[in-house]
């Protein structure tokens, strides 16, 4: 099965798509975006930051947003009417996940019920969470057993595009569908007429359109590029059509929920401006013809002014151009266009004194076609071949196969940290830090973006810079979920 089972005739079919999940949000908010945190940054340097939420009791006047998420087996039509329904694992029977939406400053309270046949937990990806609510089984909580429950109380301090997903055997549970979008609206969000949330995934299905279970522990996937799928969906649907108002200004919130695939996305028939990466506002830049990479777990927010004509979101990471979604303006143009130019602020960078940063070198090694021959695993030196054959481990940090609780370093609360990454492997890795956002320094330049997941190209060296201002045990791992389980991810302790 090739990449994405699509024939060109399928592209002509129209897909009804509007569900409450893709409902449009009319932003009522006036001010152009400005960035509180950039401004706060110098303050962080001067003082020892204290965690706002030492407990997760709601502060008075804090708005509590309640949701229930029930994880269970669910049979849905994923692959279209000519295929049988697919047995999936979903939250609330919702393909693409129930849409959680809240406002900055809210306290999110989610009652999670596990009706799966296996233990599970939920991670709130990109949220600078309270450690006990981070959802990492075996590290921040016990896994919730089948039939069990757990209530997550998550402070939403930052506005932006986030998502949540299973974090117990994530390489299997996410691939079966356990994820959804989490959107936090801010009072300083840019004003738009309509917002659309698009969560993208590539599913690995067998000929009967069932989740390919036989390949779940496939060492070839684990040591190469991870589990790539062949059925490409947006919000659980193939090529959905989104009705939009002609002439309206749209904010597309794009989320890559694939286990492993690095997408490359572009617009056809409209101009897009990228305004946020991983939820965090960036120096705005045009979404170019060749597209922008969106690694697994990453998000990007794109502003688009819709004209009178249909435009498309396309995936161009392979030599095959795939249409991910259509945007279809209605007949009546309700807004004048072109729209007035946006007044977008400059994102200012922190002035970093790297002398004062704690430098933590992380030599990323292993995988197929790499130079790693021997590793330390559970205190023993063994060959990488043996680690692979005996223990299904193929990746390492600094020569050591990492497990979900292996300590990388102990960091003092408030300390500046420079993670000095060197991707000495033949594969890209989307490196994700829990509980913090980081700046990226590449070739001596700090990029004007702040992220929670950064894609390291093969051979690349980069520094991730952050203030460890959130106490607890935090994972740092590759978000190619097969790489994580087979050795690429460990723990920072911040205290
Ligand atoms: Cu999105 Cu450790 O996860
Ligand atoms: Cu990786």
């Amino acid at each position: 099965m090739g990449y994405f089972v699509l024939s060109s005739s399928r592209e002509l079919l129209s897909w009804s798509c509007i569900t409450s999940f893709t409902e449009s949000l009319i932003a009522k908010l006036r001010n152009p975006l400005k960035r509180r945190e950039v401004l706060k940054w110098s303050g962080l340097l001067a003082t020892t930051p204290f965690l706002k939420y030492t407990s997760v009791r709601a502060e008075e006047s804090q708005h509590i947003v309640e949701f229930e998420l029930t994880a269970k087996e669910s049979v849905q039509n994923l692959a279209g009417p000519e295929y049988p329904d697919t047995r999936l694992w979903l939250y609330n029977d919702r393909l693409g996940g129930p849409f959680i939406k809240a406002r900055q400053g809210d306290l999110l309270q989610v009652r999670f019920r596990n009706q799966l046949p296996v233990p599970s937990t939920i991670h709130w990806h990109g949220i600078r969470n309270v450690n006990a609510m981070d959802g990492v089984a075996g590290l921040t909580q016990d896994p919730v057993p089948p039939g069990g429950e757990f209530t997550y109380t998550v402070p939403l301090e930052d506005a932006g595009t986030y998502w949540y997903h299973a974090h117990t055997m994530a390489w299997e549970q996410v691939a079966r569908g356990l994820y959804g979008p989490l959107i936090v609206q801010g009072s300083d969000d840019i004003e738009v007429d309509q917002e659309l949330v698009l969560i993208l995934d590539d599913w690995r299905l067998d000929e009967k359109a069932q989740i390919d279970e036989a390949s779940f522990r496939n060492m070839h996937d684990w040591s190469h590029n991870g589990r790539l799928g062949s059925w490409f969906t947006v919000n659980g649907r193939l090529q959905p059509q989104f009705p939009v108002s002609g002439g309206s200004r749209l904010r597309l919130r794009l989320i890559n929920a694939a286990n492993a695939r690095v997408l490359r996305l572009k617009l056809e028939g409209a101009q897009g401006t990228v305004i946020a990466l991983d939820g965090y506002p960036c120096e705005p830049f045009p979404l170019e013809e060749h597209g922008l990479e969106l690694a697994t777990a990453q998000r990007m927010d794109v502003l688009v002014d819709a004209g009178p004509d249909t435009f498309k979101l396309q995936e161009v990471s392979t030599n095959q151009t795939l249409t991910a979604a259509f945007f279809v303006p209605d007949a009546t143009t309700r807004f004048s266009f072109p729209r007035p130019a946006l007044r977008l602020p400059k994102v200012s960078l922190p002035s970093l004194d790297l002398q004062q940063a704690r430098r933590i070198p992380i030599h990323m090694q292993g995988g197929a076609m790499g130079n790693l021959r021997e590793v330390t695993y559970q205190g023993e030196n063994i060959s990488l071949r043996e680690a692979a054959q005996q223990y299904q481990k193929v990746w390492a940090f600094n020569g050591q196969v990492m497990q979900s609780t292996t300590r990388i370093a102990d960091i003092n609360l408030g300390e500046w940290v420079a993670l000095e990454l060197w991707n000495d492997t033949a594969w890209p890795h989307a490196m994700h830090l829990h509980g913090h956002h980081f700046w990226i320094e590449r070739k001596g330049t700090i990029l004007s973006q702040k992220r929670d997941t950064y894609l390291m190209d093969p051979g690349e060296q980069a520094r991730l810079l952050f203030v460890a201002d959130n106490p607890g045990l935090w994972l740092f791992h590759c978000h190619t979920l097969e790489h994580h389980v087979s050795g690429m991810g460990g723990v920072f302790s911040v205290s």
Side-chain angles (χ1 to χ4, degrees), residues 428-429 478 480 483 488:
H429 301 285
C478 178
T480 293
H483 294 177
M488 191 171 276

Side-chain angles (χ1 to χ4, degrees), residues 88-89 116-119 166-179 203 211-213 215-217 222 227 259 481-482 485:
L88 300 160
W89 292 359
L116 299 168
V118 295
H167 213 302
T168 304
M169 294 174 71
W171 48 276
E172 175 181 353
Q173 297 191 5
V174 172
R176 290 183 185 272
L178 288 170
Y179 60 78
W203 306 78
I211 297 291
D212 187 309
E213 295 174 341
S215 63
F216 263 134
R217 290 171 190 270
W222 289 21
R227 181 184 178 90
N259 273 41
L481 300 171
E482 295 72 28
V485 64

Side-chain angles (χ1 to χ4, degrees), residues 372-427:
L372 184 66
R373 299 282 165 266
E374 218 178 61
V375 291
T376 310
Y377 179 63
Q378 294 182 322
E380 266 185 82
N381 284 348
I382 56 175
S383 69
L384 187 66
R385 171 182 292 268
E386 189 183 344
Q389 290 173 348
Q390 299 288 314
Y391 308 108
Q392 291 76 53
K393 300 292 178 187
V394 280
W395 304 95
F397 285 165
N398 304 325
Q400 186 182 5
V401 169
M402 308 302 283
Q403 293 185 275
S404 53
T405 55
T406 312
R407 203 63 68 86
I408 303 170
D410 294 345
I411 303 168
N412 295 323
L413 186 62
E415 203 170 10
W416 261 103
V417 180
L419 299 185
E420 303 189 322
L421 302 185
W422 173 20
N423 178 5
D424 191 17
T425 79
W427 307 94

Side-chain angles (χ1 to χ4, degrees), residues 123-126 134 136 163-167 170 297 432-434 452-453 475-479 481 484:
H123 171 58
W124 311 90
H125 184 114
D134 203 39
V136 180
W163 66 303
Y164 58 92
H165 61 79
H167 213 302
H432 170 49
L433 177 63
H434 284 218
D452 58 57
T453 306
L475 271 189
F476 175 67
H477 66 91
C478 178
H479 220 287
L481 300 171
H484 181 200

